[in-house]
Amino acid sequence: MTHLLNADLHCHSVVSDGTLTPEVLAQRAKANGVELWSLTDHDEIGGQDRAIAAAQAAGLPYLTGAEISVTFAGVTVHIVGLGFDHTEPALVEGLRQTRGGREQRARDMSDDLARVGIPGVYEGALKYVGNPELISRSHFARYLVEIGVCQETNEVFRKYITEGKPGFVPHRWATLRNAVGWITDAGGVAVIAHPGRYPFTANEEYALFTEFKALGGQGVEVVTGAHGPADYVKYADYCHEFDLVASRGSDFHSPEESHTDLGQLPDLPGKVTPVWALLADRVHG
Ligand code: AMP
Ligand code: MN
Ligand code: MN
Ligand code: MN
């Protein structure tokens, strides 16, 4: 598979915090010219069979995917897994455990928002939840926009439910070791998602990449919705420094909220090895 493939290996459906179904996403990816697709719901593989079937119906090559929430050095880091066997019991159970704390966290977030005069947010957010095991801050953000507390979801993440702001509840997710292990033991490739988004110092970021590599991680997102040109250059260099392959994905959630649509990304920079070079035998269709 070529370097310049229009691969989109990161997006979300109603099975986590996206607003479209796996079937509609598959059709949108195809219409937008995507040539290799993966649905990577947060901590969830419940949409994989639907995505595989919908991709096949659309004639769209597909890799299984998930985006696992990890706590590393006190910070939430996301690890994308691609091309794994989504029936592997340790992966299925690990993701179930990772989802487990979300319900209580959501109730605590709602209690904290009530203390600053915004009541009933848990119940309001539930209207946006497509999967009862996967209530996310995105669902809170949509409800806070609905009731006029903020104009748009980005504003919610500046003023609320983010570290140091009302409604934020710290949470301990999976360990980096477990997340990488679940993915690789199920035959997949682990990828550090959107590294440009984390609030790490240079030393902490170096520690993340070093530890990730030592644990068997193999890839990093170089081109993704949250990155700009300086990030593309920086993380392409990291591919060489840490001997990692490069991934590409929009992180599309919703036509209303996401500024990068499926398949609408720059190509990977030259001189990196694309993640799909490792996954040719894992492609469905
Ligand atoms: P959670 O897994 O419940 O902590 O929710 C994290 C999700 O919130 C991310 O996957 C994004 O979809 C969304 N999110 C986080 N920060 C922002 C932001 N600044 N703007 C918009 N969405 C965000
Ligand atoms: Mn999300
Ligand atoms: Mn993410
Ligand atoms: Mn994502």
Side-chain angles (χ1 to χ4, degrees), residues 10 12 17 42-43 67 69 76 78 102 105 109 134-138 141-142 153-155 157-158 161-162 173 194 197 251 253 257:
H10 188 154
H12 300 274
D17 62 346
H42 295 285
D43 309 324
E67 182 178 20
S69 311
T76 299
H78 287 168
R102 283 183 177 269
R105 170 194 187 230
M109 287 169 59
L134 213 294
I135 180 163
S136 140
R137 287 187 293 157
S138 300
R142 288 173 193 145
T153 52
N154 274 332
E155 185 188 348
F157 283 98
R158 285 196 301 275
I161 65 175
T162 205
W173 302 105
H194 45 63
R197 264 181 51 178
D251 206 0
H253 284 70
E257 296 165 16

PDB file of all heavy atoms in Angstrom, residues 10 12 17 42-43 67 69 76 78 102 105 109 134-138 141-142 153-155 157-158 161-162 173 194 197 251 253 257, ligand 1:
ATOM      1  N   HIS A  10      -8.778   7.347  12.426  1.00  0.00           N
ATOM      2  CA  HIS A  10      -9.178   7.858  13.741  1.00  0.00           C
ATOM      3  C   HIS A  10     -10.484   8.633  13.588  1.00  0.00           C
ATOM      4  O   HIS A  10     -10.510   9.709  12.983  1.00  0.00           O
ATOM      5  CB  HIS A  10      -8.074   8.768  14.299  1.00  0.00           C
ATOM      6  CG  HIS A  10      -8.293   9.207  15.720  1.00  0.00           C
ATOM      7  ND1 HIS A  10      -7.243   9.555  16.557  1.00  0.00           N
ATOM      8  CD2 HIS A  10      -9.413   9.353  16.456  1.00  0.00           C
ATOM      9  CE1 HIS A  10      -7.722   9.911  17.736  1.00  0.00           C
ATOM     10  NE2 HIS A  10      -9.045   9.797  17.699  1.00  0.00           N
ATOM     11  N   HIS A  12     -14.881   8.783  15.476  1.00  0.00           N
ATOM     12  CA  HIS A  12     -15.791   8.335  16.548  1.00  0.00           C
ATOM     13  C   HIS A  12     -17.232   8.274  16.070  1.00  0.00           C
ATOM     14  O   HIS A  12     -17.682   9.138  15.321  1.00  0.00           O
ATOM     15  CB  HIS A  12     -15.682   9.282  17.752  1.00  0.00           C
ATOM     16  CG  HIS A  12     -14.294   9.321  18.307  1.00  0.00           C
ATOM     17  ND1 HIS A  12     -13.857   8.410  19.232  1.00  0.00           N
ATOM     18  CD2 HIS A  12     -13.233  10.098  18.013  1.00  0.00           C
ATOM     19  CE1 HIS A  12     -12.586   8.647  19.505  1.00  0.00           C
ATOM     20  NE2 HIS A  12     -12.172   9.664  18.785  1.00  0.00           N
ATOM     21  N   ASP A  17     -18.377   9.003  21.544  1.00  0.00           N
ATOM     22  CA  ASP A  17     -18.833  10.395  21.625  1.00  0.00           C
ATOM     23  C   ASP A  17     -18.976  11.067  20.266  1.00  0.00           C
ATOM     24  O   ASP A  17     -18.994  12.294  20.185  1.00  0.00           O
ATOM     25  CB  ASP A  17     -17.940  11.215  22.558  1.00  0.00           C
ATOM     26  CG  ASP A  17     -16.497  11.299  22.077  1.00  0.00           C
ATOM     27  OD1 ASP A  17     -16.113  10.528  21.176  1.00  0.00           O
ATOM     28  OD2 ASP A  17     -15.759  12.141  22.620  1.00  0.00           O
ATOM     29  N   HIS A  42     -13.803   5.601  21.670  1.00  0.00           N
ATOM     30  CA  HIS A  42     -13.118   5.644  22.964  1.00  0.00           C
ATOM     31  C   HIS A  42     -13.449   4.395  23.783  1.00  0.00           C
ATOM     32  O   HIS A  42     -14.629   4.135  24.093  1.00  0.00           O
ATOM     33  CB  HIS A  42     -13.580   6.851  23.785  1.00  0.00           C
ATOM     34  CG  HIS A  42     -13.232   8.182  23.191  1.00  0.00           C
ATOM     35  ND1 HIS A  42     -11.961   8.700  23.225  1.00  0.00           N
ATOM     36  CD2 HIS A  42     -13.990   9.109  22.561  1.00  0.00           C
ATOM     37  CE1 HIS A  42     -11.959   9.891  22.655  1.00  0.00           C
ATOM     38  NE2 HIS A  42     -13.179  10.168  22.237  1.00  0.00           N
ATOM     39  N   ASP A  43     -12.431   3.643  24.169  1.00  0.00           N
ATOM     40  CA  ASP A  43     -12.563   2.539  25.129  1.00  0.00           C
ATOM     41  C   ASP A  43     -13.651   1.541  24.730  1.00  0.00           C
ATOM     42  O   ASP A  43     -14.229   0.882  25.595  1.00  0.00           O
ATOM     43  CB  ASP A  43     -12.863   3.086  26.549  1.00  0.00           C
ATOM     44  CG  ASP A  43     -11.881   4.157  26.979  1.00  0.00           C
ATOM     45  OD1 ASP A  43     -10.693   4.038  26.629  1.00  0.00           O
ATOM     46  OD2 ASP A  43     -12.300   5.121  27.664  1.00  0.00           O
ATOM     47  N   GLU A  67      -9.675   3.739  20.595  1.00  0.00           N
ATOM     48  CA  GLU A  67      -8.821   4.760  21.206  1.00  0.00           C
ATOM     49  C   GLU A  67      -8.924   4.582  22.711  1.00  0.00           C
ATOM     50  O   GLU A  67      -9.981   4.832  23.296  1.00  0.00           O
ATOM     51  CB  GLU A  67      -9.267   6.167  20.776  1.00  0.00           C
ATOM     52  CG  GLU A  67      -8.367   7.265  21.356  1.00  0.00           C
ATOM     53  CD  GLU A  67      -8.749   8.665  20.900  1.00  0.00           C
ATOM     54  OE1 GLU A  67      -9.902   8.874  20.460  1.00  0.00           O
ATOM     55  OE2 GLU A  67      -7.893   9.570  21.014  1.00  0.00           O
ATOM     56  N   SER A  69      -8.173   5.234  26.649  1.00  0.00           N
ATOM     57  CA  SER A  69      -7.818   6.284  27.608  1.00  0.00           C
ATOM     58  C   SER A  69      -6.811   5.725  28.609  1.00  0.00           C
ATOM     59  O   SER A  69      -7.052   4.692  29.230  1.00  0.00           O
ATOM     60  CB  SER A  69      -9.063   6.753  28.361  1.00  0.00           C
ATOM     61  OG  SER A  69     -10.125   7.051  27.485  1.00  0.00           O
ATOM     62  N   THR A  76      -4.008  12.467  31.085  1.00  0.00           N
ATOM     63  CA  THR A  76      -4.744  11.546  30.215  1.00  0.00           C
ATOM     64  C   THR A  76      -4.114  11.566  28.819  1.00  0.00           C
ATOM     65  O   THR A  76      -4.004  12.612  28.188  1.00  0.00           O
ATOM     66  CB  THR A  76      -6.223  11.937  30.133  1.00  0.00           C
ATOM     67  OG1 THR A  76      -6.789  11.867  31.452  1.00  0.00           O
ATOM     68  CG2 THR A  76      -6.989  10.981  29.220  1.00  0.00           C
ATOM     69  N   HIS A  78      -4.090   9.351  25.038  1.00  0.00           N
ATOM     70  CA  HIS A  78      -4.902   8.420  24.251  1.00  0.00           C
ATOM     71  C   HIS A  78      -4.013   7.552  23.366  1.00  0.00           C
ATOM     72  O   HIS A  78      -3.127   8.056  22.683  1.00  0.00           O
ATOM     73  CB  HIS A  78      -5.911   9.185  23.390  1.00  0.00           C
ATOM     74  CG  HIS A  78      -7.032   9.771  24.201  1.00  0.00           C
ATOM     75  ND1 HIS A  78      -7.920  10.699  23.705  1.00  0.00           N
ATOM     76  CD2 HIS A  78      -7.425   9.528  25.477  1.00  0.00           C
ATOM     77  CE1 HIS A  78      -8.812  11.009  24.647  1.00  0.00           C
ATOM     78  NE2 HIS A  78      -8.526  10.315  25.743  1.00  0.00           N
ATOM     79  N   ARG A 102     -16.795   5.441  34.234  1.00  0.00           N
ATOM     80  CA  ARG A 102     -17.365   6.633  33.598  1.00  0.00           C
ATOM     81  C   ARG A 102     -18.698   7.084  34.202  1.00  0.00           C
ATOM     82  O   ARG A 102     -18.964   8.289  34.284  1.00  0.00           O
ATOM     83  CB  ARG A 102     -17.539   6.405  32.087  1.00  0.00           C
ATOM     84  CG  ARG A 102     -16.230   6.514  31.322  1.00  0.00           C
ATOM     85  CD  ARG A 102     -16.454   6.352  29.830  1.00  0.00           C
ATOM     86  NE  ARG A 102     -15.220   6.536  29.078  1.00  0.00           N
ATOM     87  CZ  ARG A 102     -14.805   7.710  28.594  1.00  0.00           C
ATOM     88  NH1 ARG A 102     -15.534   8.795  28.767  1.00  0.00           N
ATOM     89  NH2 ARG A 102     -13.666   7.785  27.934  1.00  0.00           N
ATOM     90  N   ARG A 105     -18.020   8.901  37.516  1.00  0.00           N
ATOM     91  CA  ARG A 105     -17.350  10.160  37.173  1.00  0.00           C
ATOM     92  C   ARG A 105     -18.360  11.186  36.653  1.00  0.00           C
ATOM     93  O   ARG A 105     -18.328  12.363  37.023  1.00  0.00           O
ATOM     94  CB  ARG A 105     -16.292   9.872  36.110  1.00  0.00           C
ATOM     95  CG  ARG A 105     -15.651  11.089  35.462  1.00  0.00           C
ATOM     96  CD  ARG A 105     -14.922  10.617  34.220  1.00  0.00           C
ATOM     97  NE  ARG A 105     -14.116  11.586  33.560  1.00  0.00           N
ATOM     98  CZ  ARG A 105     -14.173  11.831  32.241  1.00  0.00           C
ATOM     99  NH1 ARG A 105     -15.039  11.165  31.482  1.00  0.00           N
ATOM    100  NH2 ARG A 105     -13.362  12.686  31.680  1.00  0.00           N
ATOM    101  N   MET A 109     -19.166  14.778  38.178  1.00  0.00           N
ATOM    102  CA  MET A 109     -19.045  16.004  37.371  1.00  0.00           C
ATOM    103  C   MET A 109     -20.310  16.835  37.489  1.00  0.00           C
ATOM    104  O   MET A 109     -20.262  18.064  37.638  1.00  0.00           O
ATOM    105  CB  MET A 109     -18.818  15.629  35.883  1.00  0.00           C
ATOM    106  CG  MET A 109     -17.442  15.094  35.562  1.00  0.00           C
ATOM    107  SD  MET A 109     -17.335  14.389  33.877  1.00  0.00           S
ATOM    108  CE  MET A 109     -17.777  15.806  32.879  1.00  0.00           C
ATOM    109  N   LEU A 134     -20.758   4.489  27.922  1.00  0.00           N
ATOM    110  CA  LEU A 134     -19.759   5.431  27.424  1.00  0.00           C
ATOM    111  C   LEU A 134     -20.290   6.853  27.493  1.00  0.00           C
ATOM    112  O   LEU A 134     -20.534   7.503  26.473  1.00  0.00           O
ATOM    113  CB  LEU A 134     -19.355   5.050  25.995  1.00  0.00           C
ATOM    114  CG  LEU A 134     -17.914   5.319  25.547  1.00  0.00           C
ATOM    115  CD1 LEU A 134     -17.633   6.827  25.492  1.00  0.00           C
ATOM    116  CD2 LEU A 134     -16.900   4.633  26.451  1.00  0.00           C
ATOM    117  N   ILE A 135     -20.495   7.328  28.729  1.00  0.00           N
ATOM    118  CA  ILE A 135     -20.845   8.738  28.911  1.00  0.00           C
ATOM    119  C   ILE A 135     -19.537   9.517  29.011  1.00  0.00           C
ATOM    120  O   ILE A 135     -18.643   9.169  29.774  1.00  0.00           O
ATOM    121  CB  ILE A 135     -21.786   8.954  30.109  1.00  0.00           C
ATOM    122  CG1 ILE A 135     -22.128  10.431  30.257  1.00  0.00           C
ATOM    123  CG2 ILE A 135     -21.237   8.355  31.402  1.00  0.00           C
ATOM    124  CD1 ILE A 135     -23.339  10.695  31.129  1.00  0.00           C
ATOM    125  N   SER A 136     -19.438  10.565  28.192  1.00  0.00           N
ATOM    126  CA  SER A 136     -18.172  11.263  28.002  1.00  0.00           C
ATOM    127  C   SER A 136     -18.350  12.752  28.247  1.00  0.00           C
ATOM    128  O   SER A 136     -19.471  13.272  28.247  1.00  0.00           O
ATOM    129  CB  SER A 136     -17.699  10.988  26.568  1.00  0.00           C
ATOM    130  OG  SER A 136     -17.143  12.115  25.965  1.00  0.00           O
ATOM    131  N   ARG A 137     -17.245  13.441  28.410  1.00  0.00           N
ATOM    132  CA  ARG A 137     -17.306  14.893  28.559  1.00  0.00           C
ATOM    133  C   ARG A 137     -17.929  15.553  27.330  1.00  0.00           C
ATOM    134  O   ARG A 137     -18.529  16.627  27.444  1.00  0.00           O
ATOM    135  CB  ARG A 137     -15.904  15.453  28.826  1.00  0.00           C
ATOM    136  CG  ARG A 137     -15.399  15.137  30.237  1.00  0.00           C
ATOM    137  CD  ARG A 137     -14.086  15.851  30.510  1.00  0.00           C
ATOM    138  NE  ARG A 137     -13.012  15.337  29.683  1.00  0.00           N
ATOM    139  CZ  ARG A 137     -11.906  16.012  29.365  1.00  0.00           C
ATOM    140  NH1 ARG A 137     -11.733  17.235  29.818  1.00  0.00           N
ATOM    141  NH2 ARG A 137     -10.982  15.453  28.626  1.00  0.00           N
ATOM    142  N   SER A 138     -17.795  14.922  26.166  1.00  0.00           N
ATOM    143  CA  SER A 138     -18.411  15.491  24.960  1.00  0.00           C
ATOM    144  C   SER A 138     -19.924  15.598  25.115  1.00  0.00           C
ATOM    145  O   SER A 138     -20.542  16.552  24.628  1.00  0.00           O
ATOM    146  CB  SER A 138     -18.106  14.615  23.744  1.00  0.00           C
ATOM    147  OG  SER A 138     -16.727  14.525  23.544  1.00  0.00           O
ATOM    148  N   ALA A 141     -20.672  18.504  27.179  1.00  0.00           N
ATOM    149  CA  ALA A 141     -20.457  19.746  26.417  1.00  0.00           C
ATOM    150  C   ALA A 141     -21.667  20.046  25.532  1.00  0.00           C
ATOM    151  O   ALA A 141     -22.109  21.198  25.432  1.00  0.00           O
ATOM    152  CB  ALA A 141     -19.190  19.623  25.579  1.00  0.00           C
ATOM    153  N   ARG A 142     -22.219  19.003  24.884  1.00  0.00           N
ATOM    154  CA  ARG A 142     -23.374  19.230  24.005  1.00  0.00           C
ATOM    155  C   ARG A 142     -24.581  19.754  24.796  1.00  0.00           C
ATOM    156  O   ARG A 142     -25.298  20.646  24.336  1.00  0.00           O
ATOM    157  CB  ARG A 142     -23.729  17.939  23.255  1.00  0.00           C
ATOM    158  CG  ARG A 142     -22.691  17.639  22.188  1.00  0.00           C
ATOM    159  CD  ARG A 142     -22.853  16.311  21.497  1.00  0.00           C
ATOM    160  NE  ARG A 142     -21.605  16.082  20.744  1.00  0.00           N
ATOM    161  CZ  ARG A 142     -21.028  14.898  20.562  1.00  0.00           C
ATOM    162  NH1 ARG A 142     -21.600  13.804  21.021  1.00  0.00           N
ATOM    163  NH2 ARG A 142     -19.901  14.805  19.907  1.00  0.00           N
ATOM    164  N   THR A 153     -19.147  23.808  21.759  1.00  0.00           N
ATOM    165  CA  THR A 153     -18.510  22.828  22.644  1.00  0.00           C
ATOM    166  C   THR A 153     -17.067  23.209  22.979  1.00  0.00           C
ATOM    167  O   THR A 153     -16.618  22.973  24.093  1.00  0.00           O
ATOM    168  CB  THR A 153     -18.567  21.415  22.035  1.00  0.00           C
ATOM    169  OG1 THR A 153     -18.054  21.436  20.711  1.00  0.00           O
ATOM    170  CG2 THR A 153     -19.983  20.882  22.008  1.00  0.00           C
ATOM    171  N   ASN A 154     -16.357  23.798  22.039  1.00  0.00           N
ATOM    172  CA  ASN A 154     -14.981  24.234  22.342  1.00  0.00           C
ATOM    173  C   ASN A 154     -14.935  25.180  23.530  1.00  0.00           C
ATOM    174  O   ASN A 154     -14.018  25.120  24.344  1.00  0.00           O
ATOM    175  CB  ASN A 154     -14.366  24.956  21.131  1.00  0.00           C
ATOM    176  CG  ASN A 154     -13.745  23.979  20.169  1.00  0.00           C
ATOM    177  OD1 ASN A 154     -13.309  22.906  20.588  1.00  0.00           O
ATOM    178  ND2 ASN A 154     -13.705  24.337  18.906  1.00  0.00           N
ATOM    179  N   GLU A 155     -15.939  26.070  23.604  1.00  0.00           N
ATOM    180  CA  GLU A 155     -16.005  27.022  24.716  1.00  0.00           C
ATOM    181  C   GLU A 155     -16.241  26.280  26.033  1.00  0.00           C
ATOM    182  O   GLU A 155     -15.678  26.659  27.067  1.00  0.00           O
ATOM    183  CB  GLU A 155     -17.126  28.040  24.440  1.00  0.00           C
ATOM    184  CG  GLU A 155     -17.223  29.147  25.467  1.00  0.00           C
ATOM    185  CD  GLU A 155     -18.454  30.020  25.270  1.00  0.00           C
ATOM    186  OE1 GLU A 155     -19.126  29.930  24.210  1.00  0.00           O
ATOM    187  OE2 GLU A 155     -18.769  30.784  26.213  1.00  0.00           O
ATOM    188  N   PHE A 157     -15.098  23.395  26.805  1.00  0.00           N
ATOM    189  CA  PHE A 157     -13.823  22.809  27.222  1.00  0.00           C
ATOM    190  C   PHE A 157     -12.801  23.868  27.647  1.00  0.00           C
ATOM    191  O   PHE A 157     -11.757  23.537  28.178  1.00  0.00           O
ATOM    192  CB  PHE A 157     -13.249  21.914  26.113  1.00  0.00           C
ATOM    193  CG  PHE A 157     -13.924  20.567  26.030  1.00  0.00           C
ATOM    194  CD1 PHE A 157     -14.924  20.325  25.105  1.00  0.00           C
ATOM    195  CD2 PHE A 157     -13.570  19.543  26.908  1.00  0.00           C
ATOM    196  CE1 PHE A 157     -15.547  19.082  25.030  1.00  0.00           C
ATOM    197  CE2 PHE A 157     -14.189  18.304  26.839  1.00  0.00           C
ATOM    198  CZ  PHE A 157     -15.177  18.070  25.897  1.00  0.00           C
ATOM    199  N   ARG A 158     -13.106  25.135  27.411  1.00  0.00           N
ATOM    200  CA  ARG A 158     -12.252  26.194  27.980  1.00  0.00           C
ATOM    201  C   ARG A 158     -12.718  26.614  29.366  1.00  0.00           C
ATOM    202  O   ARG A 158     -11.906  26.932  30.225  1.00  0.00           O
ATOM    203  CB  ARG A 158     -12.235  27.426  27.051  1.00  0.00           C
ATOM    204  CG  ARG A 158     -11.386  27.242  25.800  1.00  0.00           C
ATOM    205  CD  ARG A 158     -11.071  28.587  25.129  1.00  0.00           C
ATOM    206  NE  ARG A 158     -12.264  29.330  24.737  1.00  0.00           N
ATOM    207  CZ  ARG A 158     -12.930  29.150  23.589  1.00  0.00           C
ATOM    208  NH1 ARG A 158     -12.497  28.270  22.718  1.00  0.00           N
ATOM    209  NH2 ARG A 158     -14.007  29.863  23.314  1.00  0.00           N
ATOM    210  N   ILE A 161     -15.423  21.617  32.872  1.00  0.00           N
ATOM    211  CA  ILE A 161     -15.103  20.187  32.724  1.00  0.00           C
ATOM    212  C   ILE A 161     -13.674  19.919  32.254  1.00  0.00           C
ATOM    213  O   ILE A 161     -13.371  18.851  31.733  1.00  0.00           O
ATOM    214  CB  ILE A 161     -16.134  19.429  31.816  1.00  0.00           C
ATOM    215  CG1 ILE A 161     -16.123  19.896  30.354  1.00  0.00           C
ATOM    216  CG2 ILE A 161     -17.542  19.523  32.403  1.00  0.00           C
ATOM    217  CD1 ILE A 161     -17.054  19.058  29.440  1.00  0.00           C
ATOM    218  N   THR A 162     -12.801  20.888  32.447  1.00  0.00           N
ATOM    219  CA  THR A 162     -11.398  20.715  32.110  1.00  0.00           C
ATOM    220  C   THR A 162     -10.597  21.032  33.370  1.00  0.00           C
ATOM    221  O   THR A 162     -11.090  21.739  34.249  1.00  0.00           O
ATOM    222  CB  THR A 162     -11.069  21.621  30.893  1.00  0.00           C
ATOM    223  OG1 THR A 162      -9.968  21.084  30.200  1.00  0.00           O
ATOM    224  CG2 THR A 162     -10.814  23.040  31.302  1.00  0.00           C
ATOM    225  N   TRP A 173      -7.375   6.248  34.376  1.00  0.00           N
ATOM    226  CA  TRP A 173      -7.727   5.373  33.263  1.00  0.00           C
ATOM    227  C   TRP A 173      -6.809   4.145  33.266  1.00  0.00           C
ATOM    228  O   TRP A 173      -6.213   3.821  34.287  1.00  0.00           O
ATOM    229  CB  TRP A 173      -7.629   6.143  31.940  1.00  0.00           C
ATOM    230  CG  TRP A 173      -8.495   7.365  31.866  1.00  0.00           C
ATOM    231  CD1 TRP A 173      -8.094   8.663  31.968  1.00  0.00           C
ATOM    232  CD2 TRP A 173      -9.930   7.413  31.694  1.00  0.00           C
ATOM    233  NE1 TRP A 173      -9.182   9.512  31.848  1.00  0.00           N
ATOM    234  CE2 TRP A 173     -10.302   8.774  31.680  1.00  0.00           C
ATOM    235  CE3 TRP A 173     -10.921   6.439  31.526  1.00  0.00           C
ATOM    236  CZ2 TRP A 173     -11.640   9.190  31.512  1.00  0.00           C
ATOM    237  CZ3 TRP A 173     -12.235   6.854  31.357  1.00  0.00           C
ATOM    238  CH2 TRP A 173     -12.591   8.198  31.357  1.00  0.00           C
ATOM    239  N   HIS A 194      -2.616  11.913  18.694  1.00  0.00           N
ATOM    240  CA  HIS A 194      -2.462  13.385  18.788  1.00  0.00           C
ATOM    241  C   HIS A 194      -1.473  13.848  19.870  1.00  0.00           C
ATOM    242  O   HIS A 194      -1.858  14.565  20.805  1.00  0.00           O
ATOM    243  CB  HIS A 194      -3.825  14.074  18.977  1.00  0.00           C
ATOM    244  CG  HIS A 194      -4.752  13.453  19.996  1.00  0.00           C
ATOM    245  ND1 HIS A 194      -4.468  13.372  21.340  1.00  0.00           N
ATOM    246  CD2 HIS A 194      -5.959  12.857  19.852  1.00  0.00           C
ATOM    247  CE1 HIS A 194      -5.463  12.781  21.970  1.00  0.00           C
ATOM    248  NE2 HIS A 194      -6.375  12.441  21.085  1.00  0.00           N
ATOM    249  N   ARG A 197      -1.249  17.422  21.535  1.00  0.00           N
ATOM    250  CA  ARG A 197      -2.297  17.977  22.402  1.00  0.00           C
ATOM    251  C   ARG A 197      -2.007  17.880  23.883  1.00  0.00           C
ATOM    252  O   ARG A 197      -2.732  18.460  24.699  1.00  0.00           O
ATOM    253  CB  ARG A 197      -3.624  17.251  22.132  1.00  0.00           C
ATOM    254  CG  ARG A 197      -4.504  17.980  21.151  1.00  0.00           C
ATOM    255  CD  ARG A 197      -5.817  17.285  20.901  1.00  0.00           C
ATOM    256  NE  ARG A 197      -6.565  16.928  22.102  1.00  0.00           N
ATOM    257  CZ  ARG A 197      -7.753  16.351  22.075  1.00  0.00           C
ATOM    258  NH1 ARG A 197      -8.319  16.075  20.911  1.00  0.00           N
ATOM    259  NH2 ARG A 197      -8.370  16.033  23.182  1.00  0.00           N
ATOM    260  N   ASP A 251      -9.767  12.314  13.514  1.00  0.00           N
ATOM    261  CA  ASP A 251     -10.423  12.429  14.830  1.00  0.00           C
ATOM    262  C   ASP A 251     -11.813  13.067  14.679  1.00  0.00           C
ATOM    263  O   ASP A 251     -12.287  13.782  15.558  1.00  0.00           O
ATOM    264  CB  ASP A 251      -9.555  13.209  15.817  1.00  0.00           C
ATOM    265  CG  ASP A 251      -9.826  12.859  17.273  1.00  0.00           C
ATOM    266  OD1 ASP A 251     -10.697  12.003  17.541  1.00  0.00           O
ATOM    267  OD2 ASP A 251      -9.166  13.453  18.154  1.00  0.00           O
ATOM    268  N   HIS A 253     -15.623  13.709  14.863  1.00  0.00           N
ATOM    269  CA  HIS A 253     -16.699  13.358  15.798  1.00  0.00           C
ATOM    270  C   HIS A 253     -18.083  13.699  15.269  1.00  0.00           C
ATOM    271  O   HIS A 253     -19.047  13.012  15.582  1.00  0.00           O
ATOM    272  CB  HIS A 253     -16.532  14.108  17.126  1.00  0.00           C
ATOM    273  CG  HIS A 253     -15.466  13.583  18.035  1.00  0.00           C
ATOM    274  ND1 HIS A 253     -14.128  13.699  17.786  1.00  0.00           N
ATOM    275  CD2 HIS A 253     -15.554  12.937  19.229  1.00  0.00           C
ATOM    276  CE1 HIS A 253     -13.431  13.156  18.776  1.00  0.00           C
ATOM    277  NE2 HIS A 253     -14.274  12.684  19.672  1.00  0.00           N
ATOM    278  N   GLU A 257     -19.327  19.826  14.888  1.00  0.00           N
ATOM    279  CA  GLU A 257     -18.281  20.185  15.853  1.00  0.00           C
ATOM    280  C   GLU A 257     -16.859  20.035  15.325  1.00  0.00           C
ATOM    281  O   GLU A 257     -15.943  20.671  15.847  1.00  0.00           O
ATOM    282  CB  GLU A 257     -18.415  19.299  17.113  1.00  0.00           C
ATOM    283  CG  GLU A 257     -19.714  19.529  17.860  1.00  0.00           C
ATOM    284  CD  GLU A 257     -20.007  18.414  18.862  1.00  0.00           C
ATOM    285  OE1 GLU A 257     -19.084  17.647  19.194  1.00  0.00           O
ATOM    286  OE2 GLU A 257     -21.162  18.313  19.278  1.00  0.00           O
TER     287      GLU A 257
HETATM  288  P1  AMP B   1     -13.608  11.951  28.139  1.00  0.00           P
HETATM  289  O1  AMP B   1     -13.045  10.694  27.498  1.00  0.00           O
HETATM  290  O2  AMP B   1     -14.965  11.750  28.722  1.00  0.00           O
HETATM  291  O3  AMP B   1     -12.642  12.599  29.087  1.00  0.00           O
HETATM  292  O4  AMP B   1     -13.848  12.989  26.951  1.00  0.00           O
HETATM  293  C1  AMP B   1     -12.781  13.357  26.117  1.00  0.00           C
HETATM  294  C2  AMP B   1     -13.345  13.890  24.815  1.00  0.00           C
HETATM  295  O5  AMP B   1     -13.725  15.243  24.969  1.00  0.00           O
HETATM  296  C3  AMP B   1     -12.299  13.915  23.715  1.00  0.00           C
HETATM  297  O6  AMP B   1     -12.218  12.672  23.083  1.00  0.00           O
HETATM  298  C4  AMP B   1     -12.853  14.959  22.793  1.00  0.00           C
HETATM  299  O7  AMP B   1     -13.845  14.397  21.958  1.00  0.00           O
HETATM  300  C5  AMP B   1     -13.527  15.916  23.739  1.00  0.00           C
HETATM  301  N1  AMP B   1     -12.661  17.090  23.995  1.00  0.00           N
HETATM  302  C6  AMP B   1     -11.639  17.185  24.861  1.00  0.00           C
HETATM  303  N2  AMP B   1     -11.091  18.412  24.823  1.00  0.00           N
HETATM  304  C7  AMP B   1     -11.794  19.107  23.894  1.00  0.00           C
HETATM  305  C8  AMP B   1     -11.739  20.433  23.379  1.00  0.00           C
HETATM  306  N3  AMP B   1     -10.847  21.309  23.821  1.00  0.00           N
HETATM  307  N4  AMP B   1     -12.628  20.785  22.429  1.00  0.00           N
HETATM  308  C9  AMP B   1     -13.549  19.917  21.985  1.00  0.00           C
HETATM  309  N5  AMP B   1     -13.649  18.652  22.425  1.00  0.00           N
HETATM  310  C10 AMP B   1     -12.786  18.256  23.360  1.00  0.00           C
END
